[in-house]
Amino acid sequence: MVYPGPGDPGAGRVLLFYVILAAWEAGSGQIHYSVLEEAKHGTFVGRIAQDLGLELAELVPRLFRLASKDSLELLEVNLQNGILFVNSRIDREELCGRSAVCSIHLEVIVDKPLQVFHVEVEVKDINDNPPVFPATQKNLFIAESRPLDSRFPLEGASDADIGANALLIYRLRPNEYFSLDVPINEEQVKPLGLVLQKPLDRESAPELYLVLTATDGGKPELTGTVQLLITVLDANDNAPVFDRTLYRVKLPENVSNGTLVVKLNASDLDEGLNGDIIYSFSSDVSPDIKSKFHIDPITGEITVIGHIDFEESKTYKVRVQATDKGFLPLSGHSTVLVDVVDANDNAPELTITSLSLPISEDAPPGTVITLVSVYDRDSGVNGQVTSTLTPNVPFKLVSTFKNYYSLVLENSLDRESVSAYDLVVTARDRGSPSLSATVSVSVEVADVNDNAPTFPQPEYTVFVKENNPPGSHIFTVSARDADAQENALVSYSLVERRVGERALSSYVSVHAESGKVYALQPLDHEELELLQFQVSARDAGFPPMGSNVTLQVFVLDENDNAPVLLPPGSGGAGVSGSELVPRSVGAGHVVAKVRAVDADSGYNAWLSYELQLTAGGVRSPFRVGLYTGEVSTTRALDEADAPRQRLLVLVKDHGEPPLAATATILVSLVENNQVLKTSSRVSSGAVGPETALVDVNVYLIIAICAVSSLLVLTFMLYTALRCSASPPEGAHGPGKATLVCSSAVGSWSYSQQRRQRVCSGEGQPKTDLMAFSPCLPQGPSSPGNVSLKQSYFQH
């Protein structure tokens, strides 16, 4: 825009008109402004923020900026008041040449959320270029014999402006010999010329000086002049004449050198040298035309010698002349108008403006990724461009304005499936053959924390030997997170809980980075057989995500406990015991029983008994059961046997290495009458602990029998009631029986699960049976005694 000067009401009206026009166009969908060329720096163009509906306070936070393919330095926006103003000199002729419409296309971009606006600023022409003639002086040679009304063509002036500013009016300084013939059409097919009004007389006026003035239609008017120097010649009466005053031809661009443009034809009525014609370009033909075309002086053929480019010039106006060879040569003139036909020789040009890269994988559909602009220098269908995008991608091209597109997210993204997209934008024109151009756009997908760490399996079973050294590594957990960077950085921790009366963290720990699980103290199978806990894996994203895995740590037994002998009062010989044996007993008589237990389990608790030989090497009449611990006679005793014998029993487990304990039994061999005396003393009053124990056992057995009888009676009544209620067929009740067994392979206990029909229609109800039976066959060393549990094999 141009600010009106003081006292210039006309300029004020023009300014008001442009303001109203800009406001009307802004309401029509696309913001349109206009500004006069050569406007000074700071000239007001429009209130762009207000017209786009943006608040002044949000221009800076939303990164308000201009983006344009054309000269960004010409216009600028004041972010304080939202006014678009002229930043540097705008020369319409330099920007658009002689194009009828000259506009600057601006892309206005704001973020948060991203918006793109298109603004068109039309550059108005001012009359800043005067008419210019090809030369300041034109020399004409005119024979004095030329008849009246003879016409002599002149090269007109050119004006770089357009419209009324380029509308030229020609005036010839008044004289008595020539008048000015001005063409009435814009193409100037009939050139400007001088018309002879009065016969020339070389003797009276050999030279004439005329001044031709061209005035444009601008305000204020600008003028240009050329001085015409006319030299009057004698001789030739007839000048050559072309068969056409205008040759109009169409010439495709990019034709090869030597291509014939047109063949000129002129004739001269004179004879001899005065009728011989030489063809040439007019003296005012520009050097550019001479670099592209050649005229044969004899044949009059015009051929191509340079590159013909439609994008460089669409039309060539070539002035030609035919001159005879007379002493005073005469010339005839014509014009060749060459129209260049466009060929599809320019591929489209693509320009990418990056905005929101990389794009977050949780970005909503409709997010603008980049801006794409397309330009084709050709015209017509050759310049009509269609743009496409790589298929089968979650993006699309959206046309925003003419050949401007936005690359927009169409579907949701998942970085774990595809972390980057290599897109190809293809622009193809409609020419024949069609030309195309491509540009690659690499769209990287930024990660968000949408995946929790996962373990390969939900539970692990770990076996650890007891008595491990403190801080030993027992297992390593590993979780994988499908995210990236800090969202995939996994740390491990224990899920704290109580194990008995102690915290879990007093038993084990886990390394936060490696996931290695360590035992903080030696584990004891006898104290803790199974330690079950959870390890948590959590990433470093925001907000963090995590998952747990369960570890079942089984503590394996080691042979770290030696057998322990039960004291004599528990029913067997312990560390030291004394037994009285009559000499009359036979082989297989049980003298004593050694009892021992082992705190370990499995083979480490499987005990065996051995009788150690005496120091003298004398064979003892006693032996011990390998797995029962029963000390019995191997033969009948006789008088040769020592009355007092010391038996040493070795109790050993089956661990590696085995652990052992020893029991000493003192055996006194007595006669039968001594045994009876001892028995009578015991029955007459010396009631010891064993006698008291027998009495207690009798009472206990009587109480148990009474309670059992009452229980059996109650159970029978309950069963009868259930049977009378007709229970569903097939009803069963589980029962358990515990079997304590001694065999050749040791002593152990186990539970046998039994399922027995409680009630059916076939017979009377049956009760579960509890059986205790020896597992050893009858023999001399095992006389059928029922062995209670002495040592056990624990699974």
Side-chain angles (χ1 to χ4, degrees), residues 154-298:
L154 298 174
E155 179 71 7
S158 62
D159 195 322
D161 297 321
I162 62 170
N165 296 329
L167 185 60
L168 303 182
I169 299 175
Y170 294 92
R171 295 183 180 87
L172 185 64
R173 180 180 294 177
N175 64 93
E176 58 181 342
Y177 291 98
F178 295 93
S179 64
L180 189 63
D181 184 16
V182 181
I184 61 175
N185 55 26
E186 294 181 357
E187 292 185 351
Q188 296 186 9
V189 172
K190 181 181 179 182
L192 184 68
L194 294 177
V195 178
L196 186 61
Q197 300 291 329
K198 179 182 178 180
L200 297 175
D201 185 3
R202 190 189 64 81
E203 287 71 28
S204 62
E207 290 182 345
L208 298 175
Y209 293 91
L210 305 178
V211 176
L212 178 63
T213 302
T215 305
D216 61 24
K219 292 186 181 300
E221 298 176 346
L222 298 177
T223 61
T225 60
V226 60
Q227 188 175 27
L228 303 178
L229 176 59
I230 301 174
T231 302
V232 181
L233 304 175
D234 281 334
N236 249 333
D237 296 340
N238 296 286
V241 178
F242 285 93
D243 57 352
R244 299 182 196 175
T245 57
L246 174 67
Y247 294 88
R248 187 157 196 167
V249 296
K250 292 185 179 296
L251 182 66
E253 66 172 329
N254 303 321
V255 294
S256 59
N257 290 343
T259 300
L260 178 65
V261 180
V262 68
K263 180 177 175 59
L264 304 176
N265 185 25
S267 60
D268 196 316
L269 297 178
D270 294 326
E271 294 181 353
L273 293 178
N274 293 332
D276 291 340
I277 297 175
I278 297 175
Y279 298 95
S280 63
F281 292 121
S282 297
S283 59
D284 54 3
V285 169
S286 66
D288 180 59
I289 291 179
K290 291 181 179 180
S291 67
K292 296 184 182 298
F293 300 99
H294 172 265
I295 185 170
D296 190 292
I298 305 302

Side-chain angles (χ1 to χ4, degrees), residues 439-450:
V439 65
S440 298
V441 181
S442 181
V443 180
E444 181 182 353
V445 182
D447 183 54
V448 297
N449 193 26
D450 56 347

